[in-house]
Amino acid sequence: MGENLEKTFDEQINELRRENRKLTREVTYLKNAIKQEKIAYTTVLNQQRASTFVQRERERYLALLLVNSPSIILFLNQADRVEFCTDYFIKMARFKRPSDVLGHLLSDVLEPFMDTLAHEELLTQTKNVTLTNISLSLDVSFSFGEDKVDFAGLIVPMKDEEEKSSGTMLMFHDVTDLKRSREEALAASRAKSNFLSNMSHEIRTPMNTIIGMTTIGKRDASSNGKNTAFEKIQIASNHLLGIINDILDISKIEAGKIELFLVDFSFSEMIDKVISVAAVRMNDKNQRFSVNIDSEIPDYLYGDDRCLAQIITNILSNAVKFTPEKGEVTLSAEILRKWDNNCTIRVSVKDTGIGMTQEEQSMLFKVFQQAEAGISRKFGGSGLGLVISKSLLEIMGGEIWVESEKGHGSEFIFTISLPISDPEKLTAVKDTSEVGCDIDFTGKTILLVDDIEANLEIAEILLENINLKVVTAQNGKDAIETFIKDENRYDLILMDMQMPVVDGLQATQMIRALGSEKAVKIPIIAMTANVFKEDVDKCRAAGMNGHLGKPINMAEVVKVLAEWLN
């Protein structure tokens, strides 16, 4: 019996142990479940907090956006009354407070700022958006005080979370500057197209004369007929060269590559040269020409006399062009003030020509534009002269303006300040027009280098006419080989820049590199159609002694040759 009791007790103990393990597992499970519930609750709570924070931030940024928006934004309810508007609209419309807008009908709010037709169109389109539930864009203009402002508009139907209509949103963004820029760009494009059309006409006209007179000169057996043809060809060629120079000048100005060549010069001599050129054109039109030069203007100044002469010549050319036969042109120059070693000069050109309206005057100094489209057809010209003159004056620190009345002539005026020069320092440079072709170069031999056969033929004939002996080469390689064969034969080399095989710059460097006394010292002068300042600088850097531009100006050629051969 004792054994049975012991056995029963052991079984009960084991049963209790099993129950204990089971309870332990259940407790552990419950603990884990509670822990998971806590985690889940914390996660949900954090999500709710995060969602609330995000929502508040969205609302805050939306409020900031609407308050600081540079656009007009209006929220309308289903009754077309304004429930919200941006501060920008209140400010632009000059309302005293938001209550002047909020709660009012859209039609009443916008009516003071729009013309009748535009106002009715906007209201109609707003109703269409409400009915069709489809967004719509449109352009509108609002008049805020004296300012008319152009807007790009968008009308959008608003829906709530259940996709039900809750009103309409109107947004208008200011595009006034954009529209103005677009119109200016289109105007500039039209101006350039007109300019190119005008340039085509201006270039083709002298070319037609050159080609036509060349044909006539070939057929005409008489000397008089040929001479007449040659004279007209020369006039047309000079006109064509003037147009090309204007185009090159304006290109250099726009690229910022215009540089002044400052020298001591005589103001009176510069004026005399300008007058001598202008007087010829005025005589052809029987115009009266008066010149009034203030005797107090110092005769010797320091500056770019070529630019100054070009400016006065351009203005005088315009005066002659737009003044009828037997009209009058007056050139005046006076001193405004002297200080230290400087002076300010006022130059004016007054004419009795066609005159200009205020609108025409506003277009005068703009590139690619003339005062009126018909002017280029009636009077000709590139329309670049005044633009070039204004740009040159600005570079020199001066200014230019015009005073004119339609039908009563014009007066172009400019002022410029220049240092006064010491007469003893003045280096007198004889004008190329005064250098004749009677200088005797007998016994001198030139090596002429050019890859164009016609250029060689022209230059050779012109040079032989002043008693020069000419040997030719058709590229840099030929020039080097010809020079090496008999270095001491040549007194000077005229070298083109752009040539095949070896160009002029390379040929010059290779000749200098020969090392002999003749190769190092012989004058090498560029004679090329590359005439920009950077081209001249390249020639100097390569070892050349000077630069002559094409087309050939024989007086300038003689001057340079005299400098280096005598």
Side-chain angles (χ1 to χ4, degrees), residues 208-274:
N208 181 63
T209 301
I210 293 168
I211 294 170
M213 283 299 162
T214 301
T215 304
I216 292 171
K218 285 180 179 179
R219 293 177 180 176
D220 198 322
S222 68
S223 296
N224 288 338
K226 289 184 181 295
N227 288 337
T228 300
F230 290 150
E231 287 174 4
K232 291 181 178 178
I233 288 172
Q234 186 174 24
I235 292 170
S237 299
N238 289 335
H239 177 62
L240 182 59
L241 182 59
I243 293 169
I244 293 171
N245 286 336
D246 279 352
I247 295 172
L248 290 176
D249 281 346
I250 203 66
S251 298
K252 287 188 284 186
I253 287 168
E254 290 201 318
K257 293 183 178 179
I258 283 283
E259 291 191 20
L260 301 179
F261 294 90
L262 304 177
V263 296
D264 298 297
F265 70 96
S266 167
F267 183 79
S268 59
E269 287 183 12
M270 182 272 296
I271 289 290
D272 287 343
K273 292 170 189 174
V274 171

Side-chain angles (χ1 to χ4, degrees), residues 330-551:
T330 302
L331 169 64
S332 302
E334 63 176 319
I335 188 163
L336 295 182
R337 71 185 186 109
K338 284 184 182 179
W339 77 101
D340 296 334
N341 202 39
N342 300 276
C343 65
T344 300
I345 300 171
R346 179 185 188 273
V347 179
S348 69
V349 175
K350 189 173 184 178
D351 64 61
T352 58
I354 61 176
M356 290 172 286
T357 64
Q358 287 295 324
E359 182 180 358
E360 290 169 344
Q361 292 175 46
S362 67
M363 299 168 63
L364 269 183
F365 300 106
K366 294 181 180 178
V367 70
F368 306 129
Q369 296 191 18
Q370 287 186 320
E372 184 190 344
I375 283 179
S376 62
R377 293 190 294 271
K378 184 176 180 181
F379 294 97
S382 66
L384 295 176
L386 290 176
V387 180
I388 293 169
S389 298
K390 182 176 186 293
S391 299
L392 292 176
L393 272 168
E394 288 176 347
I395 292 170
M396 293 191 288
E399 61 176 332
I400 184 172
W401 67 94
V402 62
E403 296 174 1
S404 181
E405 185 179 347
K406 192 70 173 179
H408 295 280
S410 303
E411 183 175 13
F412 284 86
I413 306 156
F414 73 84
T415 59
I416 187 169
S417 297
L418 296 169
I420 300 171
S421 176
D422 184 349
E424 294 181 1
K425 294 181 180 179
L426 184 66
T427 303
V429 180
K430 197 174 183 181
D431 185 72
T432 57
S433 62
E434 297 173 358
V435 180
C437 293
D438 55 351
I439 299 176
D440 190 0
F441 293 111
T442 301
K444 304 293 184 180
T445 302
I446 284 182
L447 177 57
L448 176 65
V449 190
D450 200 305
D451 62 314
I452 306 297
E453 189 173 343
N455 290 345
L456 284 175
E457 182 179 357
I458 292 168
E460 187 173 5
I461 293 172
L462 292 175
L463 293 171
E464 287 177 347
N465 285 341
I466 53 176
N467 299 324
L468 280 166
K469 188 170 183 181
V470 181
V471 177
T472 62
Q474 290 197 314
N475 58 59
K477 181 173 180 292
D478 291 344
I480 295 166
E481 293 173 352
T482 302
F483 178 77
I484 290 174
K485 286 179 183 177
D486 190 356
E487 291 185 3
N488 294 321
R489 180 182 182 186
Y490 305 105
D491 300 288
L492 184 141
I493 301 174
L494 289 175
M495 182 81 73
D496 189 20
M497 281 182 68
Q498 290 186 223
M499 295 181 291
V501 188
V502 175
D503 65 34
L505 300 178
Q506 293 172 319
T508 299
Q509 292 169 335
M510 293 169 74
I511 289 173
R512 298 299 191 206
L514 293 173
S516 66
E517 183 179 0
K518 188 70 174 183
V520 172
K521 292 185 176 180
I522 186 170
I524 302 178
I525 309 298
M527 191 159 72
T528 174
N530 299 71
V531 294
F532 285 120
K533 183 182 182 298
E534 54 263 37
D535 299 317
V536 178
D537 291 341
K538 287 178 183 177
C539 292
R540 298 285 187 185
M544 294 186 182
N545 302 93
H547 180 280
L548 290 166
K550 294 177 183 176

